[in-house]
Amino acid sequence: MKNKAFVVSIRFIGLFVASLMLHFATLAQDDISQLLTKLKNAPNDSLKVDAYNDLFEYYQYSNPDSAIYYLQDGLKQFTAKNNRYGIASMTTLLGYQDGTQGRMELAKKRQIDALKIFEELNNQSGIGAAHNGLGVVDGRSGKYDSATRHFMLALKAFENAKNNKGIINTYIKLGVVNELSSNLDKALEYYNKALALSPDTPVASSKVYIYNNVGIVYAKKGDMKRSLEYFQTALQLSDKPKFTGVRILSLINTGIVYDEFGDDEKALKYFNDALQITKDKNLPEDHARIMVNIASITGKTDPKKSVEQLNEALEIAKKINQKNILRDVYEGLTQEYKQLGNYKELVSVMEEQRQLEQNIFTLEKAKEIANLESVYELEQSNARIKELKLTEHKNLLKRNIIIAIAIGLAIALIFISAFYRKTKR
């Protein structure tokens, strides 16, 4: 576990997307009473959606339970009114929150449901938000090609809507995918595009995330000093509750840089600060990732304790079914058991690691087949629908012709009858 990955990791695309509001407003106030007043006095459902979005953004990290409460309350209100835009908006944000807390299947289902409604409404910003959400789900599963497709569809939708903040957020996610795919120059290109569009006053969430992500790219390029400067700038700008997500990232990444510098004490300080936030805010995926990083340092002097920390991460990763973290945990356990000379546990862990890789391969193949089948079934369904519509059109045309003939005959009969009576007289 000596080679730690800087965390922009797809988890943190998720963190960023979670703050991607459908109206993309930047909160000007931090007073919850103002937000509640805004919700209470919203004169129409569209502004009410905005108010629920603001409450979600305010609470998503400082109090996730409250964030979910307001989203569910909004969903209930809009469902009662059959307000499709409101339903889709709340569903998308609930999907983001589900993803943040490890409920990936539910997150994907919510985004698909929301996308269908937004497409029916032709709401381009909503379409962009849902595609971004789906991209996050795929990206967190390591399916970067699929994630990129969703992000490009999101970018197109936001451009159609002239939604500047949506464009910024999508550029960042495209930067992340390229960074994870080792296309570092392309990643910087996307980050710089996002940075050019980001406002300075007030400081937007996007700008803070960009500093963190650019720091990661420079770290991967081997420029640790410049990398640290970007991480520390992100930390300085992330001292408000709504920036909790990026603060976690910057704390972890700063810890990794100090670990690279060989300063274990400073590295652990930053890791533990981040760990405390994840415990307070109930962010299990971040918790597990941080434990892997902490175990990496602990293993230098105390392999037994490192194993305990890795097992804590293992339990969480299994619970939330985060396979990417499981890979890191198994790699760490393998190294520690080798160092301890515990070959019985080493063999057991290596077997679990093999099964994980096999399951991932099998699952991906099954999904690929299922996707192909779904596409085929959709095409067949569309073909049947077209055929039915054509038949219906032909039948309608026949009916109209028959009606026209009948009317013509009736009119002719009336004239003939009138002419006959006149002739008879």
Side-chain angles (χ1 to χ4, degrees), residues 161-199:
K162 295 181 172 57
N163 189 322
N164 189 61
K165 191 170 182 181
I167 293 170
I168 292 170
N169 292 345
T170 308
Y171 276 148
I172 294 174
K173 282 177 278 300
L174 285 166
V176 171
V177 169
N178 277 279
E179 181 270 316
L180 291 172
S181 302
S182 298
N183 299 321
L184 301 182
D185 291 334
K186 191 68 176 177
L188 278 177
E189 180 184 330
Y190 279 120
Y191 290 146
N192 286 328
K193 284 183 178 181
L195 199 59
L197 296 175
S198 297

Side-chain angles (χ1 to χ4, degrees), residues 10 16 25 41 47 77 91 106 109 148-149 183 227-228 234 270 275 294 303 311 338 348 352 362 384 392-393:
I10 279 291
F16 183 72
N41 297 332
L47 291 177
Q77 300 290 333
T91 300
L106 181 57
K109 181 182 183 304
T148 299
R149 283 195 293 272
N183 299 321
S227 171
L228 184 60
Y270 284 103
L275 184 64
I294 290 175
N311 280 326
K338 283 181 181 177
S348 176
E352 288 189 41
T362 303
R384 287 195 295 271
E392 183 181 353
H393 178 72

Side-chain angles (χ1 to χ4, degrees), residues 69-105:
Y69 167 80
Y70 282 110
L71 291 180
Q72 290 177 336
D73 180 66
L75 183 61
K76 180 180 178 182
Q77 300 290 333
F78 295 126
T79 300
K81 296 179 180 181
N82 195 29
N83 183 315
R84 303 285 285 165
Y85 171 69
I87 292 169
S89 301
M90 299 300 100
T91 300
T92 287
L93 295 178
L94 281 166
Y96 289 141
Q97 194 66 14
D98 287 327
T100 299
Q101 297 185 333
R103 298 181 290 272
M104 302 309 297
E105 290 302 320

Side-chain angles (χ1 to χ4, degrees), residues 297-408:
I297 295 176
T298 305
K300 297 175 183 178
T301 56
D302 192 346
K304 287 185 179 180
K305 187 174 181 181
S306 176
V307 168
E308 292 175 7
Q309 293 166 338
L310 286 168
N311 280 326
E312 180 180 338
L314 180 64
E315 184 178 347
I316 296 171
K318 284 183 175 180
K319 186 176 180 180
I320 64 175
N321 194 30
Q322 232 304 346
K323 294 180 175 60
N324 288 330
I325 298 178
L326 282 173
R327 281 171 165 164
D328 293 340
V329 172
Y330 286 138
E331 181 184 347
L333 286 171
T334 297
Q335 292 187 31
E336 301 305 345
Y337 283 135
K338 283 181 181 177
Q339 188 173 341
L340 289 168
N342 190 337
Y343 297 107
K344 180 179 178 181
E345 293 295 338
L346 175 61
V347 170
S348 176
V349 167
M350 291 179 68
E351 175 60 23
E352 288 189 41
Q353 190 174 19
R354 186 191 65 79
Q355 289 180 2
L356 173 67
E357 296 296 339
Q358 187 176 22
N359 289 339
I360 291 174
F361 177 80
T362 303
L363 183 61
E364 292 304 317
K365 285 298 178 184
K367 285 182 179 178
E368 184 179 338
I369 292 170
N371 287 336
L372 290 172
E373 290 174 345
S374 296
V375 170
Y376 174 76
E377 289 171 2
L378 180 61
E379 289 175 350
Q380 292 292 98
S381 177
N382 288 337
R384 287 195 295 271
I385 290 171
K386 288 180 181 178
E387 186 179 343
L388 288 171
K389 284 184 177 179
L390 182 60
T391 303
E392 183 181 353
H393 178 72
K394 288 180 179 178
N395 290 337
L396 182 62
L397 184 62
K398 287 179 181 178
R399 187 186 69 181
N400 290 340
I401 291 172
I402 291 171
I403 291 173
I405 292 172
I407 292 172

